[in-house]
Amino acid sequence: MDTEEYPIKHKEILLEISEKFKTPTYIYFEDILQENVQKYRDAFKNYGQFRQMYAYKANTNPAICKILKNLNVGADCVSEGELHMAKYTGVNPRDVIFTSNGKTDESIEFALNFGCTINIDGFEEIEIIDEISKRLDKKPKISFRINPEVNPHTHDKIATGVKESKFGINIRQAIEAYKLAKQKNFEILGIHCHIGSQITEIEPFIEEAEKISKIVTDLHDLGINLKFVDLGGGLGIDYPHDGNYNGLTHDDLANGIIPIIENLNKDLGYEIELILEPGRSIVGNAGILLTKVLSIKRTPYKKFINVDAGFNDLIRPAMYDAYHKILNLSNLSDGDEIFDIAGNLCESGDILGKNRKIAAKRNDVLAIFDAGAYGFSMSSNYNSTLKPAEILITKDKKVKLLRGREKFEDLLKIY
Ligand code: LLP
């Protein structure tokens, strides 16, 4: 057992939190967030114009957004709500990109008034943005999301740049899209693509960077000079924590991508800005979900630990068969029985961890690791449950309640 692991190191404070604020509760660690931003900075330090735009979808708790803004990290937003959050947080619109395959008129208006980059996803959207910007008398800053047809070797549901994907303009139509945009009153800033999430190999990133660079060079030959290349989300993370993880490091990513972009710069005759939009690798391991054991059940076939969280709180195991390490903070001994950790929703698929060797009894507090990304942000009120509380452990080890647990009255709100 790695006693350096955060939930173990902070065991006492976490058990106190579970008493005081009850469970289920998300806990975030500010120092890990900061370290994660720094890891990208260190790896890409030799590339002058490198920028991180944190993918808000991973976790938009306002305090997390603020911490990242104060570290000069931009925002990758995918809805009007996320744009509001970026504006509320004080992120400079220069550091905000708005990506979505289905933008509402209201979200486009908001983006135009805010002044961020609008990442166009399809041919009809060129006309829609042209029309709305004329109506508002604005000159939109734009880029295109290109689907580069790259297999990222990840779960099907989070592969976003394969040729059948709903996202972006197909790579074969990319030049045509820019030519059309050139006829409009647009400020054409860049090119974007995102091939998927939880990627643990370098090859897909290399293929993506090479394909996109080729387009940027072709555009340059046509007199369209882009200012940025945005290669989308960041690294996958180590979920199993079993010592066998050999996924990509930040250095692997930088060493894979930078030479390709430097070659591109030679063709262009100037240095293009390189953007990444990491989400999971910024907040994933910076958060855990605390849940309490309600009861133990031993059937003739299987054994269950029933807990007070479910896929309403953390949907990743049910939705992507994702593995999250689970540890009993009240009893760190290994145990000799195998249990499924069962959520308390009325669905058979509500299992947070399958076949885990763990010792537990009623009222013990379990920590579900790596829940900072796509945890709370994907939570719901299914089964009329209340969304969990969110707490920050600050750099100086203060416990700060960021968002209280929902109350029953919140379910009665009628507008
Ligand atoms: N940029 C764009 C345009 C994206 O669509 C995404 C994630 C990211 C950046 C951030 O990617 P990351 O650095 O986190 O890999 N809910 C799923 C993940 C969905 C990811 C969707 N797009 C999960 O829990 O695994």
Side-chain angles (χ1 to χ4, degrees):
M1 183 174 297
D2 181 0
T3 48
E4 281 308 296
E5 280 181 330
Y6 259 70
I8 301 178
K9 249 166 95 176
H10 295 80
K11 191 181 100 166
E12 299 310 328
I13 205 168
L14 293 173
L15 289 172
E16 272 169 33
I17 289 173
S18 72
E19 278 290 313
K20 182 164 174 205
F21 296 96
K22 308 298 173 204
T23 49
T25 290
Y26 275 98
I27 318 280
Y28 308 121
F29 296 94
E30 185 178 13
D31 47 2
I32 304 189
L33 277 176
Q34 203 162 343
E35 266 170 35
N36 288 342
V37 169
Q38 194 55 41
K39 280 181 184 163
Y40 278 98
R41 291 216 167 115
D42 290 345
F44 284 85
K45 67 175 182 303
N46 292 331
Y47 193 82
Q49 295 205 58
F50 170 69
R51 243 192 323 166
Q52 299 181 58
M53 311 269 234
Y54 166 61
Y56 267 30
K57 63 185 81 64
N59 189 326
T60 34
N61 184 292
I64 301 242
C65 294
K66 194 82 187 175
I67 290 169
L68 294 171
K69 186 250 156 195
N70 289 341
L71 293 170
N72 283 321
V73 173
D76 151 38
C77 298
V78 293
S79 67
E80 192 184 341
E82 288 187 0
L83 287 171
H84 273 281
M85 190 59 87
K87 188 173 178 196
Y88 169 84
T89 306
V91 185
N92 189 320
R94 262 198 336 258
D95 298 327
V96 178
I97 182 163
F98 175 35
T99 298
S100 166
N101 66 300
K103 300 178 182 74
T104 61
D105 289 8
E106 292 78 8
S107 66
I108 294 170
E109 286 173 20
F110 189 92
L112 285 166
N113 287 322
F114 185 34
C116 65
T117 303
I118 302 181
N119 197 19
I120 303 181
D121 195 87
F123 282 91
E124 188 170 10
E125 213 179 271
I126 299 175
E127 302 305 328
I128 297 169
I129 287 167
D130 187 38
E131 187 192 306
I132 298 180
S133 48
K134 276 183 184 144
R135 176 157 51 77
L136 298 187
D137 195 20
K138 298 274 179 197
K139 179 170 180 163
K141 297 183 179 59
I142 66 111
S143 56
F144 281 101
R145 178 173 185 161
I146 304 301
N147 175 348
E149 296 191 15
V150 173
N151 182 345
H153 302 139
T154 186
H155 191 285
D156 281 355
K157 285 191 183 137
I158 51 176
T160 50
V162 292
K163 59 173 178 279
E164 303 83 3
S165 166
K166 70 171 180 170
F167 297 109
I169 290 188
N170 185 275
I171 187 161
R172 292 152 216 264
Q173 300 170 305
I175 300 292
E176 193 188 335
Y178 279 92
K179 280 184 179 163
L180 276 172
K182 210 180 165 197
Q183 293 161 23
K184 310 284 185 194
N185 186 28
F186 289 175
E187 192 181 343
I188 303 174
L189 290 182
I191 189 161
H192 168 277
C193 62
H194 172 76
I195 54 174
S197 195
Q198 186 54 17
I199 302 173
T200 54
E201 300 162 15
I202 191 66
E203 290 76 15
F205 283 114
I206 289 185
E207 190 183 338
E208 174 194 27
E210 280 173 347
K211 286 181 163 174
I212 291 302
S213 293
K214 166 89 175 65
I215 301 173
V216 178
T217 306
D218 291 349
L219 289 171
H220 174 67
D221 294 343
L222 291 170
I224 301 174
N225 292 311
L226 301 185
K227 293 203 168 72
F228 73 77
V229 172
D230 181 338
L231 295 177
L235 299 162
I237 62 171
D238 175 13
Y239 283 104
H241 296 280
D242 58 4
N244 294 323
Y245 184 71
N246 64 352
L248 279 184
T249 65
H250 296 74
D251 284 343
D252 294 337
L253 187 65
N255 294 337
I257 292 174
I258 292 175
I260 300 169
I261 304 299
E262 279 173 345
N263 265 338
L264 168 63
N265 290 339
K266 280 185 203 141
D267 291 342
L268 298 177
Y270 62 88
E271 189 179 79
I272 199 158
E273 188 174 22
L274 171 61
I275 297 177
L276 286 181
E277 302 170 344
R280 190 190 305 273
S281 48
I282 298 292
V283 274
N285 69 343
I288 59 171
L289 175 61
L290 290 184
T291 180
K292 198 175 71 177
V293 176
L294 300 175
S295 61
I296 308 289
K297 182 189 279 183
R298 294 176 177 87
T299 80
Y301 305 101
K302 245 185 143 32
K303 297 174 186 175
F304 297 95
I305 297 175
N306 291 315
V307 297
D308 64 0
F311 74 58
N312 53 315
D313 303 299
L314 179 67
I315 203 169
R316 302 196 69 259
M319 188 142 169
Y320 314 108
D321 293 317
Y323 178 95
H324 284 258
K325 177 171 171 169
I326 301 177
L327 205 71
N328 183 355
L329 293 179
S330 311
N331 175 4
L332 291 175
S333 69
D334 278 347
D336 48 19
E337 284 183 289
I338 307 281
F339 291 96
D340 275 6
I341 317 294
N344 58 355
L345 298 181
C346 212
E347 294 241 6
S348 306
D350 185 26
I351 301 292
L352 294 163
K354 287 187 182 146
N355 299 324
R356 305 297 175 91
K357 195 159 177 245
I358 184 168
K361 61 176 193 330
R362 178 171 158 77
N363 289 330
D364 281 356
V365 176
L366 310 188
I368 305 182
F369 282 45
D370 306 305
Y374 309 112
F376 187 94
S377 66
M378 294 181 82
S379 66
S380 76
N381 293 112
Y382 186 47
N383 283 194
S384 293
T385 49
L386 306 173
K387 290 202 182 180
E390 289 177 289
I391 283 174
L392 181 74
I393 300 191
T394 63
K395 275 183 292 183
D396 48 2
K397 304 293 170 226
K398 293 214 168 67
V399 173
K400 201 165 147 191
L401 179 65
L402 300 182
R403 179 154 33 204
R405 182 178 317 289
E406 276 186 334
K407 299 186 173 65
F408 175 63
E409 295 76 60
D410 294 321
L411 303 184
L412 296 174
K413 275 186 199 152
I414 297 167
Y415 296 97

